[in-house]
Structures are given as structure tokens and as C-alpha cells.
Amino acid sequence: CLASQYAGWQLSIDDFFGMGSGPMRAAAGREPLFEVIGCTETPVACVGTIECSQWPDEPVVASIAEKTGVAADQILLAVAPTASQAGTVQVVARSVETALHKLHELEFDVSRVVSGFGSAPLPPVAEDDLSGIGRTNDAILYGGTVTLWVTGDDESLAEIGPRVPSSASEAHGQPFLTVFAEAGHDFYQIDPHLFSPAVIRFLNIDTGRVHNFGQVAPDILVESFGI
């Protein structure tokens, strides 16, 4: 999840901007995250996904080729705007990745995670990308439920658990578009602790104990989805 699905590659080349995810991130391996988790690779071909509303042109592909060390004709890119079926699904499908990234940011040893499962409600496709960003984020923040099978002690899970769900953030409790607007439409001005699923469940395979934290907020989802 962290080495591939996480949209951690900001592709900003000339007038083009998109968020990159997929195995091409591991081929590039330039994000600070990889210094911690490793998982880089040197492939002869690679695949990537870009969330954006414009097609990547030759300079964009050339930049990806340079950073991944893969020939341009061996790079396969899937491109979709947020306000599309494909774009909506690929963002909402990141509930487990979002939980793992939050744990990583909290300095939890993610190597303790053996397996994971997550779900989140799929919102209606929005009429524009900004609305799509709001709906897809709300789907995870207020409707995402993640189960992680982990090893190790229970005390650390009990300690970190309340800090993992989106409710741990002071920005929690209002639709993401409202939060985004208050931040001047700058993701980096939003409390990073908000970006997490609504519910996190740890199943400790060493002790058999289960730890549950957070809760879904269907009222906010109804408002966000316009249903």
C-alpha cells in the first residue's frame, strides 16, 4: 500500500500537475517514505496512475522515465480525473493505505501489520473535480472502516489507537470541502491527522485481542454525497 497505492508523487512539470501513485513510485523511490520502508525496485517496465484532469504530454512522460530509470515506451499510465467513475473508485479504494500512512506518520512500526482489509462507501460521481475531491475524501474520513491484523503487544495498540481515526483531528466533524475551503484550498494547510479512515480495528494475532477505535458519521456522508 505505502510503496504503491499511496498517491505520494506530486507530478509538476511545466503547466501539468497530477498526483501519481502505483508501482512507478517504487521504481523512482525518491520520496522520504522509502528511506523508512525500503521497497524500491529497478524494473524494466512500470505502471503508474495519475489523478488529474489533463493528459500527460511528452515532457511529463520523459520526467517519469528519468526518475524511474525506465524507458518512456515501457511506461504505462492510467489517467483519470477525480470527477469520473475511475477516479472516484481509485481514491475511495485507499482506505487501508490511508490507515497505514497515518500509522507511519504516528511513528508506528508498520512492519507489524501482517494483513489488512478496508471498505468505504462509493459516492456518486461529482460534477467537477473539486466536488469529487470532497466526496471521495469524505467517503474515507467519515465512512471508511479498516481492519488490520498485527503482531506484538497490546499496550502499544491501546495507546496509539485513539490517535488513528479521522476523529483524532480537530478538523473532524464537517464535510471535507468546508475544511478545504477554510485551508485556502491548500492540502498542506489541513491538519494531517484528519487523513485517516473513520474506524480502525486492530486484530492482534499474537494475543487474540481486538481493539476498536472511531466511528462512522453517516449524516456527514449524506450531506457530502447530496443524497
Side-chain angles (χ1 to χ4, degrees):
C1 285
L2 291 179
S4 178
Q5 192 178 21
Y6 170 52
W9 189 350
Q10 293 186 47
L11 294 164
S12 182
I13 299 95
D14 298 329
D15 294 329
F16 179 89
F17 180 82
M19 296 303 297
S21 59
M24 68 177 183
R25 289 182 47 246
R30 300 195 175 201
E31 301 160 41
L33 173 66
F34 287 100
E35 297 177 6
V36 178
I37 67 172
C39 299
T40 58
E41 57 186 22
T42 308
V44 296
C46 67
V47 177
T49 298
I50 304 178
E51 182 184 352
C52 64
S53 57
Q54 60 188 119
W55 291 109
D57 54 16
E58 288 188 13
V60 174
V61 177
S63 177
I64 294 173
E66 177 189 0
K67 291 179 172 59
T68 59
V70 175
D73 62 357
Q74 295 299 309
I75 296 173
L76 179 63
L77 299 175
V79 182
T82 313
S84 68
Q85 282 187 307
T88 297
V89 170
Q90 72 103 4
V91 174
V92 175
R94 294 178 184 156
S95 57
V96 173
E97 171 266 301
T98 306
L100 290 177
H101 187 261
K102 178 67 171 291
L103 286 168
H104 169 72
E105 291 297 309
L106 293 174
E107 299 184 349
F108 180 82
D109 180 7
V110 293
S111 68
R112 291 176 57 184
V113 179
V114 176
S115 183
F117 172 83
S119 64
L122 191 62
V125 175
E127 62 180 350
D128 56 70
D129 284 340
L130 181 60
S131 299
I133 289 172
R135 288 181 176 182
T136 54
N137 274 278
D138 286 334
I140 294 177
L141 303 180
Y142 299 110
T145 300
V146 171
T147 299
L148 299 177
W149 285 262
V150 301
T151 59
D153 66 282
D154 287 302
E155 291 74 18
S156 60
L157 299 177
E159 187 279 327
I160 203 169
R163 300 159 59 196
V164 180
S166 57
S167 55
S169 168
E170 293 183 356
H172 181 273
Q174 51 189 344
F176 184 77
L177 274 188
T178 302
V179 176
F180 198 33
E182 292 177 350
H185 295 122
D186 183 350
F187 277 100
Y188 297 99
Q189 296 303 314
I190 299 173
D191 178 11
H193 293 297
L194 178 65
F195 297 102
S196 193
V199 175
I200 181 75
R201 179 178 299 112
F202 295 105
L203 276 64
N204 192 329
I205 63 175
D206 287 337
T207 68
R209 290 192 59 186
V210 179
H211 304 261
N212 291 289
F213 305 95
Q215 61 183 5
V216 297
D219 54 331
I220 297 179
L221 293 176
V222 168
E223 178 182 353
S224 174
F225 293 0
I227 56 177

